[in-house]
């Protein structure tokens, strides 16, 4: 190999190394500037919104249950009267209990409520209700007949992260809580 070929080879090699070095540094700078993708958000919240019930509420429940039991007995339906009395007692006991704290999560695999994971293949759409008087709520419509709507309370600091995960996997639609749930809340349930 002559001197001229060696010199040309050295110049070409130097240019390639310089060009590769610049590209590698450029790629490293881009990677450093990128935000890490959020893979999951997890939090704990009460199982449902609890309304503190006073003695008047329990007195009103007792009056309604006793009136229904007496009416059932007057109509010669003792079994129905027993059922109404039992239902009233269970309703009073469940209304007195405070809700348990439940772990919630939204990840790239699905939505988790307690120990149950709802994969995205079983979910239809979501809606973030930030104006709810009880605080921000995540409403998710599912394919399941037994659980058609998931309502998850969200801490305000996690709203953007939850939305960034869900918007890539589910369509956002306007979803409202059923009227029956709102009526139950009106009565303090």
């Amino acid at each position: 190999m002559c001197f001229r070929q060696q010199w040309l080879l050295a110049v070409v090699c130097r240019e390639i190394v310089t060009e590769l070095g610049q590209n590698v540094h450029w790629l490293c700078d881009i990677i450093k500037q990128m935000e890490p993708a959020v893979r999951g958000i997890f939090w704990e919240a009460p199982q449902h919104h609890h309304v503190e019930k006073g003695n008047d509420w329990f007195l009103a429940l007792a009056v309604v249950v006793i009136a229904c039991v007496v009416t059932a007995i007057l109509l010669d339906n003792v079994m129905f009267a027993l059922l109404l009395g039992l239902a009233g007692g269970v309703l009073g006991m469940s209304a007195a209990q405070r809700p348990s704290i439940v772990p919630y999560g939204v990840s790239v695999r699905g939505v988790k409520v307690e120990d149950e994971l709802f994969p995205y293949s079983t979910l239809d759409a979501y809606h973030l209700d930030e104006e709810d008087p009880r605080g921000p709520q995540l409403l998710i419509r599912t394919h399941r007949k037994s659980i058609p709507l998931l309502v998850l309370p969200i801490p305000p600091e996690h709203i953007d992260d939850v939305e960034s995960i869900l918007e890539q996997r589910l369509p956002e639609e306007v979803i409202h809580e059923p009227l029956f749930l709102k009526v139950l809340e009106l009565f303090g349930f």
Side-chain angles (χ1 to χ4, degrees):
M1 196 184 282
C2 72
F3 175 73
R4 184 178 173 120
Q5 289 175 338
Q6 287 177 346
W7 176 81
L8 185 60
L9 184 62
V11 169
V12 168
C13 286
R14 191 176 336 119
E15 286 297 317
I16 290 173
V17 168
T18 304
E19 186 69 28
L20 282 175
Q22 288 175 351
N23 285 342
V24 167
H25 290 298
W26 177 73
L27 284 173
C28 287
D29 290 340
I30 288 177
I31 290 171
K32 287 177 187 174
Q33 291 173 359
M34 290 174 51
E35 288 185 24
V38 178
R39 295 193 44 84
I41 303 295
F42 300 94
W43 69 94
E44 290 184 343
Q47 192 173 21
H48 58 85
H49 179 69
H50 181 69
V51 176
E52 197 63 43
K53 296 158 189 71
N55 292 335
D56 294 343
W57 190 91
F58 290 103
L59 181 65
L61 176 66
V63 167
V64 169
V65 169
I66 289 171
C68 290
V69 166
V70 168
T71 304
I73 290 173
L74 290 176
L75 295 174
D76 281 336
N77 201 339
V78 177
M79 289 299 284
F80 188 57
L82 288 173
L83 179 67
L84 286 174
L86 183 65
V90 169
L91 187 61
M93 287 175 31
S94 69
Q97 288 182 339
R98 298 191 67 71
S100 59
I101 302 298
V102 175
Y104 295 102
V106 175
S107 69
V108 293
R109 293 179 50 217
V111 176
K112 189 171 183 176
V113 178
E114 285 189 81
D115 294 329
E116 187 170 0
L117 178 69
F118 295 88
Y120 289 112
S121 60
T122 64
L123 306 177
D124 287 332
Y126 79 97
H127 176 69
L128 280 166
D129 186 6
E130 296 182 49
E131 278 99 39
D132 194 287
R134 300 168 293 176
Q137 304 283 323
L138 174 61
L139 304 161
I140 301 176
R141 194 172 57 233
T142 70
H143 295 304
R144 294 184 178 185
K145 300 291 183 204
S146 61
I147 309 173
L149 183 68
L150 296 174
V151 181
L152 287 70
I154 303 179
E157 63 269 10
H158 292 317
I159 291 174
D160 293 333
D161 293 332
V162 167
E163 187 167 24
S164 69
I165 292 172
L166 288 176
E167 70 187 358
Q168 299 169 2
R169 291 162 179 81
L170 288 175
E172 184 173 9
E173 296 178 7
V174 177
I175 302 171
H176 298 288
E177 285 186 90
L179 181 63
F180 181 69
L181 289 178
K182 294 192 180 218
V183 169
L184 284 177
E185 275 182 26
L186 183 67
F187 288 114
F189 290 103

